[in-house]
Amino acid sequence: MDHPKGPPHHYRDTIKVEEWAQGNEYFEGFVIQKDEVLELARKNAKENGLPSISVSPMYGKLLNLIARTAGAKRILEVGTLGGHSAIWLARALPEDGEVVTFDINPKHAEVARKNLEIAGLSKKVTVVVGPAIDNLKELSSESKFDMAFIDADRESFAAYFTEAKRLVRSGGVIFVDNVVLGGAVAGLSHAMRGVEGVRDMLETLPADTEVECTVVGTTTSRGYDGFLYAIRK
């Protein structure tokens, strides 16, 4: 019996970058509902001049589902921007849950707080302004977080990851975004900003006895990237 011909062995080479956006929109149509709050938040961020690098709807939904699966009550976020990911994360929490999010840019914090107010989540999210690594070090390791989401300057990934391990409970999740960077991290090129920072973090993993982790590649409308997913032992 003849079977339909499958994709070529190197089918990834035949996919054009513009098709990633089409594919992303296709799947969003099945799993993402219209969300006026997030649309207003995105509009507010754009009008205030923030870069258009917030998490996509499917990425935000993934974070939300991970938090819910983990039964998270306290979440740590490094990199607030306009608050899109904080909204997705806070929506996953119980009424007495908490997201603590850090951003060095006062303008980002201002926009994020407004967006969180629009979403009705101001009481669940604390936005901390200043160098994240300094503020992270001030947090006590006695009051553990259930999940950490790192999506900030890649040059500091190793330091952020170290602090996240200190602050996340055993069995908790650490999610680090933007670790593939179009393949630049695994290639020879050093041209893309933050490549060495990602490599610095990755190079600590073979000898790391505190986490179990994997890296998952993704393709979206912005191109080829991926994330590191770790469980704190």
Side-chain angles (χ1 to χ4, degrees):
M1 180 178 179
D2 291 336
H3 295 278
K5 186 177 180 181
H9 181 65
H10 295 294
Y11 70 94
R12 61 188 177 275
D13 297 328
T14 71
I15 299 175
K16 298 178 182 178
V17 174
E18 57 266 27
E19 291 179 310
W20 295 345
Q22 181 181 347
N24 201 58
E25 291 176 3
Y26 173 78
F27 289 108
E28 276 188 14
F30 293 102
V31 299
I32 301 296
Q33 304 299 316
K34 182 176 175 62
D35 193 318
E36 292 183 2
V37 167
L38 286 171
E39 288 179 6
L40 285 171
R42 196 173 300 279
K43 179 181 177 183
N44 186 34
K46 183 177 181 180
E47 289 176 348
N48 280 276
L50 271 62
S52 299
I53 55 173
S54 298
V55 296
S56 69
M58 284 204 294
Y59 228 91
K61 185 71 171 290
L62 174 62
L63 293 172
N64 178 278
L65 293 175
I66 291 171
R68 289 161 60 187
T69 302
K73 188 172 180 179
R74 300 188 75 230
I75 299 177
L76 178 70
E77 179 183 51
V78 183
T80 313
L81 196 61
H84 291 81
S85 50
I87 290 173
W88 279 108
L89 291 168
R91 285 175 169 177
L93 300 182
E95 285 303 313
D96 58 346
E98 176 187 32
V99 176
V100 180
T101 180
F102 299 90
D103 204 291
I104 197 171
N105 191 313
K107 182 66 173 180
H108 294 177
E110 177 187 347
V111 173
R113 290 187 181 114
K114 179 61 178 177
N115 286 338
L116 290 162
E117 181 182 345
I118 292 171
L121 294 168
S122 296
K123 292 183 179 180
K124 283 188 179 182
V125 184
T126 300
V127 182
V128 182
V129 181
I133 194 60
D134 295 339
N135 289 317
L136 286 168
K137 288 179 178 179
E138 292 180 3
L139 294 177
S140 170
S141 59
E142 295 181 4
S143 184
K144 294 292 189 181
F145 290 86
D146 303 297
M147 177 178 176
F149 174 49
I150 299 171
D151 186 15
D153 59 299
R154 295 181 288 273
E155 292 85 351
S156 301
F157 267 13
Y160 295 150
F161 192 69
T162 296
E163 289 302 308
K165 289 189 296 180
R166 181 178 69 85
L167 295 165
V168 169
R169 65 168 172 81
S170 176
V173 175
I174 304 173
F175 189 110
V176 186
D177 201 6
N178 304 131
V179 301
V180 175
L181 301 178
V185 172
L188 299 177
S189 172
H190 294 222
M192 184 175 290
R193 180 182 175 188
V195 165
E196 288 301 327
V198 178
R199 290 176 181 166
D200 288 344
M201 178 190 69
L202 294 173
E203 287 169 3
T204 69
L205 298 179
D208 195 326
T209 60
E210 297 180 294
V211 294
E212 288 283 353
C213 55
T214 190
V215 172
V216 178
T218 60
T219 54
T220 70
S221 57
R222 295 180 193 154
Y224 174 43
D225 208 338
F227 58 85
L228 181 140
Y229 187 101
I231 299 292
R232 182 72 165 85
K233 291 183 180 179

